[in-house]
Amino acid sequence: MTSALTIERLCKTFGKGPDAVQVLDNANLEVPQGQSLALTGESGSGKSTLLHICAGLEPFDSGKVVLAGHDIADADDHARATLRRGTVGLVFQQFNLVPSLSVAANLSFQARLSGRHDPDFVAELAQRLGIAQLMSRYPEQLSGGQQQRVAIGRCLAARPRLVLADEPTGNLDEATGDAVLDLMMELAAQAGTALLLVTHSTRLASRCNARVHLRAGKLQVPV
Amino acid sequence: MTRAALQALLSHWVRSPFQLAMLLAGLALATALWSGVQALNTEARTAYATAESLLGGGNAARLTAPAGQIPESEFARLRRAGWDVSPVVEGRMAMGQTRVTVLGIEPLTAPAGGTSEELVAPDVTDFLAGLGFAHPQTLDEIGPRALDLRPSQAVPVGTVLMDIAQAQALLDKVGFITHLTLAPVQRDGLTPLATLAPDLRLTPPEDGADLAGLTDSFHLNLTAFGLLAFAVGLFIVHSAVGLAFEQRRTMFRTLRALGVPLRHLALLLAAELALFAVLAGVAGLALGYLMAASLLPDVAATLRGLYGAPVPGALQFNPAWAAAGMAMTLAGTALAGAQALWQLWRLPVLAPAQPRAWAHAGMRSLRLQGGVAVVLAITAVILAQTGGGLVTGFALLAAALLAAALIMPLVLAGALALGQALARGPVAQWFWADSRQNLPRLSLALMALLLALATNIGVGTMVSSFRTTFIGWLDLRLVAEVTVTPRTPSEASALQDFLQDHADAVLPTQRMDARLAGQPGQIYAMKDHATFRDSWPLLDAVPQVWDRLAAGEGVLINEQLFRRAGLRPGTAMLDLPELGGVPVLGVYPDYGNPRAQAIIGQDLFRATWPETPISQFALRSETPQALIAVIQDEFGLPSGQITDQAQAKALSMSIFERTFMITGALNVLTLSIAGIALFAALVTLSGMRLVQLAPLWALGLTTRRLAALELARALVLAGLTLLFALPVGLMLAQILLAVINVQAFGWRLPLQLFPADWARLALWAGLAVLAAAVPPAYRLWRYGPNQLLRVFAHEK
């Protein structure tokens, strides 16, 4: 099984001198293609930092991060942007939809950026996410749950190799959160997409193929 | 509570010092332009008052003679008959290194209440013995001198006040006086002047050199431009205050949730604005003073050249001016901040802390704006159809400009929507949609830019149209190669005899003051000569106009008189003194002359007013320099009395250029303010934009590309604004040429187009926009991941 994401001896420290905080200390991780992995940890433990490093958004001190066969340590800003456009899909806790674009335009936005826009697939996604009737609306006219479904749809419509989701259901009630996560995992599985899910919830984490816990900069497999 | 709340409110500015600097700069510049213009006006009006108060506060009537001068014996005769009159002799002459107006008065009979009385009374013996008075600036211009002259601010610039006997000697007018002033109150039972001195003409006080009235239109023009610049500055303040309000919505909610009453919060915000207004007002007044001081020499030269108004070139500080400027700043700030305070007043305590949905609220306010624009446009049309007068003209200008400014965001929104509809790629589609969404935040700055660009185009077109027409007109009017001004009537007579043999043609100028259609003006004599028949420009004329003029069958009138009195050639009659109604034969352009003027044939003029001396000779010659040399050899005339054509044109053009130098300076300053407005809006917006742009960066657009798109957005919006400004500017030019100029100066000019000027303006505007847009775009480009990731970190 090929690897969507490989992390080896990853180190990241914020600050310098006595105020320095090491959030990642020789961390190792692998997410095989088509598999889901839950990343848990206390608040401030560095989960989001790890996610941002995996997306090529945040620089790191040392180690290796290989994203779909590309070592991002060597990639410049342009190459990292290309990877984010074509290989990675990001789902933010606060959705981060483009407010000036309609739901339809938001949904297809990343797919069009990556050059993999398939209108039929987008329409099918909209149906399955239950947002087909909202296509002409704007983000500000949607509820939180609806916005989150659009954000997930935007990510999946681009058929990324790896989905990085940061508390994707953190703003939703339990029932809606479960439904959204079910859908995201199902669609990811169908497309053979790997999923790295940051969550506080052990209940959600247990639904992934594997789980790692971040504590004191180390990634541990919980017993 | 107050201290804590104020500290919280002001902390925004501590964290956003640049935004504060822009707000203060906008307000200070607006104040500077407004107060600078007012300083110029105040200084000029003070100078007019000085001039009028010199001889009896401008209340004294005058007795003049058609011949231009009165024998001194007339004065003695009238005094003996009991009339309280005082002799005055006045004339221009070279003194030291300049030319001055010598004003000779008789101190013992001069009307009471005039400045001259206060000036002379303490030293009347010295005055009678030869002491004179002049403005310090005049003394500087004269330089080393033989006369005993003392500096005095009470004497107008360019005038030397002295005893009449000394003045008569200097002006070669011994035994003659220029006019007699009548004391306002005379004894009862005197023999009427009409019986006593039938040859003298009584000129009421209001017909004299009413400089304030004559120059009103010039000052109104300056005031209008100052007000426009102030309005553009207020757009900046409004924009900055509005954006700061949006940024602090969360803080307002928190403060209110923590128990700060709404009224208290509003008062604190008002106090904050007042503090800014005072700080910026003081800086603006200082800047305005400097600006006025640097522009005053040109304004003074214009007023002297156009109206003969004696305005000094150095600025005096006037506390009333400073107080008025500060009041204007406070009022403007209140106006600019009123909307923000109103919004705060209406903000529910639990209103969402997120910035409001701009697209929605923005479109709603855009529609309202559009409604106001339509009302203003209709008002402008009604004013254009029915209005008259300068104030109505400026009201039309204001309504039309404001309507255009208010409608512009709607037009831009339409253009951006079209761009979005035509866009193909996702980034292009986002670019147009995002530009449209952010339009409300930038619209005030863009409206300021529109006003500045339209003013530049409008005023530029007006000035260039004027320059082209003026140069063509000068070429036609100044056909004579040489102009000679005799110093005395006897010299005029000798010159005429001499010139018959030395010039190809001698065209004498004779003129007299008269009331024309109820307005103060002058009647000129015109010799029947090919020079005039071939070259004299006419705007409208009856057939055989020159033959009929030479035959004494009618009169030519200048455009000012034609427009003010509505005298159409062929149908109208003009009442002339001694001649009664005379048919109007034609209308000629007379740029630069604020008064009414009429021309009749030389024969008719001489038959009607035989005593009128020749004031000037226009000479035709194929060898003008040789002719000038011969005249100087024969008569010893100083160079100031003989002018060749090139000199006359250069002098006219220099007056013209100086007249419009101040409008040019105001144009540049207004465009600069608009550039600052755009800069302030883009910088403020760039901080708020991070939340919108970071997700796009996360989705794979590099900061470099995002920065390029931000830059492109500013250029597209500015380009669209420029395109919109072009018709608005031409409309402004048309209003200036066809309404304001006609009302202010009495002449109308054809609108001419100068695309090269527009291209130059587009280049400057593009550079100004780039200068405004590059820093925030560069900052975005250089944003590191840490700053961008903070947007996502805030999610927790």
Side-chain angles (χ1 to χ4, degrees), chain A residues 40 46 101 110 138 144 153 193 196 199 218 223:
Chain A
T40 56
L101 297 179
Q110 197 177 357
Y138 282 82
T193 301
L196 177 57
T199 182
K218 304 276 189 191
V223 181

Side-chain angles (χ1 to χ4, degrees), chain A residues 21-88:
Chain A
V21 178
Q22 186 166 26
V23 290
L24 294 170
D25 180 12
N26 283 304
N28 294 294
L29 180 72
E30 182 163 6
V31 185
Q33 198 64 52
Q35 296 290 301
S36 59
L37 177 73
L39 174 62
T40 56
E42 304 296 321
S43 290
S45 60
K47 302 185 299 292
S48 293
T49 301
L50 179 61
L51 202 72
H52 292 150
I53 288 173
C54 295
L57 294 171
E58 175 107 44
F60 49 93
D61 301 335
S62 62
K64 193 172 180 181
V65 177
V66 179
L67 195 60
H70 301 277
D71 187 346
I72 63 171
D74 302 332
D76 61 8
D77 186 46
H78 183 77
R80 288 181 186 203
T82 308
L83 273 175
R84 284 201 297 278
R85 276 204 306 274
T87 308
V88 180

Side-chain angles (χ1 to χ4, degrees), chain B residues 174-413:
Chain B
V174 176
F176 290 95
I177 52 182
T178 314
H179 64 261
L180 289 159
T181 53
L182 265 90
V185 180
Q186 300 285 345
R187 278 161 47 194
D188 291 333
L190 297 175
T191 312
L193 285 171
T195 313
L196 204 59
D199 294 339
L200 298 185
R201 187 174 297 119
L202 181 68
T203 310
E206 68 270 20
D207 279 8
D210 178 13
L211 291 174
L214 272 178
T215 52
D216 252 359
S217 51
F218 181 82
H219 293 298
L220 194 59
N221 263 322
L222 277 188
T223 303
F225 282 115
L227 202 58
L228 182 68
F230 187 71
V232 172
L234 286 191
F235 271 99
I236 304 181
V237 180
H238 186 81
S239 171
V241 170
L243 285 174
F245 178 84
E246 283 303 324
Q247 289 168 321
R248 291 193 286 183
R249 283 174 76 102
T250 316
M251 187 194 291
F252 297 156
R253 190 185 71 159
T254 307
L255 285 173
R256 288 194 60 196
L258 291 176
V260 179
L262 177 60
R263 185 187 297 270
H264 202 76
L265 191 56
L267 275 173
L268 286 177
L269 276 174
E272 178 192 79
L273 274 179
L275 173 71
F276 292 161
V278 170
L279 288 176
V282 170
L285 285 173
L287 276 174
Y289 185 83
L290 290 176
M291 186 193 95
S294 65
L295 286 173
L296 187 61
D298 286 320
V299 173
T302 299
L303 289 166
R304 272 182 243 162
L306 269 180
Y307 306 102
V311 178
L315 194 65
Q316 308 287 321
F317 181 77
N318 184 335
W321 158 79
M326 187 57 82
M328 191 75 176
T329 311
L330 285 167
T333 311
L335 190 70
Q339 193 188 356
L341 288 173
W342 174 246
Q343 279 183 352
L344 173 73
W345 200 257
R346 295 185 56 192
L347 188 72
V349 70
L350 289 177
Q354 294 295 325
R356 69 192 160 120
W358 281 89
H360 250 217
M363 285 317 288
R364 212 169 37 241
S365 88
L366 276 185
R367 274 196 291 275
L368 181 70
Q369 228 170 273
V372 176
V374 169
V375 171
L376 281 169
I378 293 170
T379 308
V381 170
I382 292 170
L383 285 172
Q385 297 297 321
T386 60
L390 200 54
V391 174
T392 311
F394 277 116
L396 160 65
L397 197 67
L401 273 181
L402 211 53
L406 289 175
I407 204 84
M408 188 193 66
L410 280 174
V411 175
L412 287 187

Side-chain angles (χ1 to χ4, degrees), chain A residues 3-222:
Chain A
S3 174
L5 173 69
T6 305
I7 293 173
E8 292 174 12
R9 298 184 304 283
L10 183 66
C11 293
K12 172 73 181 178
T13 303
F14 286 113
K16 284 179 182 171
D19 297 333
V21 178
Q22 186 166 26
V23 290
L24 294 170
D25 180 12
N26 283 304
N28 294 294
L29 180 72
E30 182 163 6
V31 185
Q33 198 64 52
Q35 296 290 301
S36 59
L37 177 73
L39 174 62
T40 56
E42 304 296 321
S43 290
S45 60
K47 302 185 299 292
S48 293
T49 301
L50 179 61
L51 202 72
H52 292 150
I53 288 173
C54 295
L57 294 171
E58 175 107 44
F60 49 93
D61 301 335
S62 62
K64 193 172 180 181
V65 177
V66 179
L67 195 60
H70 301 277
D71 187 346
I72 63 171
D74 302 332
D76 61 8
D77 186 46
H78 183 77
R80 288 181 186 203
T82 308
L83 273 175
R84 284 201 297 278
R85 276 204 306 274
T87 308
V88 180
L90 280 162
V91 180
F92 303 97
Q93 187 184 356
Q94 286 292 353
F95 334 128
N96 285 316
L97 299 176
V98 181
S100 52
L101 297 179
S102 66
V103 168
N106 261 294
L107 208 52
S108 60
F109 190 68
Q110 197 177 357
R112 295 171 73 197
L113 280 179
S114 64
R116 286 198 292 270
H117 179 43
D118 178 352
D120 294 337
F121 182 51
V122 171
E124 185 195 330
L125 269 177
Q127 280 294 342
R128 298 202 54 187
L129 286 163
I131 51 174
Q133 73 284 6
L134 307 174
M135 300 295 262
S136 60
R137 294 202 189 168
Y138 282 82
E140 70 191 49
Q141 298 168 309
L142 304 181
S143 68
Q146 288 169 330
Q147 287 194 52
Q148 188 63 304
R149 278 180 275 165
V150 176
I152 290 168
R154 177 179 71 183
C155 168
L156 295 175
R159 300 177 198 266
R161 299 273 300 275
L162 172 66
V163 170
L164 300 169
D166 192 357
E167 305 264 12
T169 58
N171 279 330
L172 306 178
D173 62 76
E174 198 170 286
T176 311
D178 282 351
V180 165
L181 188 66
D182 283 346
L183 188 62
M184 192 161 76
M185 293 182 79
E186 183 192 337
L187 290 170
Q190 278 178 6
T193 301
L195 175 65
L196 177 57
L197 175 74
V198 169
T199 182
H200 280 294
S201 163
T202 48
R203 195 175 53 79
L204 289 181
S206 66
R207 298 176 58 188
C208 293
N209 298 122
R211 178 183 164 196
V212 289
H213 190 76
L214 183 60
R215 177 177 292 153
K218 304 276 189 191
L219 283 169
Q220 303 161 339
V221 178

Side-chain angles (χ1 to χ4, degrees), chain B residues 584-785:
Chain B
V584 175
L585 302 176
V587 179
Y588 58 92
D590 192 16
Y591 307 121
N593 175 15
R595 291 176 182 272
Q597 197 180 86
I599 294 175
I600 61 173
Q602 190 185 55
D603 296 342
L604 180 62
F605 189 99
R606 287 185 171 173
T608 314
W609 301 289
E611 298 298 318
T612 307
I614 292 170
S615 56
Q616 209 171 49
F617 293 99
L619 307 175
R620 303 304 310 266
S621 171
E622 288 181 4
T623 53
Q625 292 309 318
L627 179 62
I628 289 171
V630 168
I631 297 170
Q632 279 178 329
D633 286 349
E634 183 69 21
F635 292 89
L637 282 172
S639 57
Q641 307 290 114
I642 306 181
T643 317
D644 69 16
Q645 194 185 46
Q647 273 178 306
K649 276 185 189 167
L651 181 70
S652 300
M653 283 313 294
S654 80
I655 291 174
F656 175 87
E657 296 297 350
R658 287 189 145 201
T659 302
F660 291 105
M661 189 171 278
I662 184 163
T663 44
L666 287 178
N667 262 347
V668 170
L669 289 170
T670 310
L671 189 60
S672 309
I673 291 184
I676 290 173
L678 200 60
F679 182 51
L682 287 172
V683 168
T684 310
L685 199 56
S686 73
M688 302 166 78
R689 294 272 292 147
L690 209 55
V691 180
Q692 296 170 13
L693 297 175
L696 287 153
W697 168 73
L699 289 176
L701 294 184
T702 58
T703 50
R704 188 177 171 175
R705 192 168 179 198
L706 288 171
L709 287 167
E710 290 292 283
L711 209 55
R713 182 193 329 281
L715 285 174
V716 164
L717 288 174
L720 289 171
T721 305
L722 179 66
L723 279 180
F724 189 69
L726 200 57
V728 176
L730 291 177
M731 173 190 74
L732 172 64
Q734 183 61 20
I735 293 174
L736 284 171
L737 290 168
V739 182
I740 304 289
N741 269 353
V742 172
Q743 297 296 337
F745 302 114
W747 58 70
R748 181 175 179 155
L749 299 159
L751 177 74
Q752 297 179 51
L753 303 182
F754 301 89
D757 288 355
W758 306 340
R760 204 165 27 247
L761 177 66
L763 188 70
W764 280 115
L767 287 174
V769 170
L770 270 181
V774 162
Y778 180 76
R779 204 166 72 167
L780 172 62
W781 180 28
R782 304 311 301 173
Y783 270 143

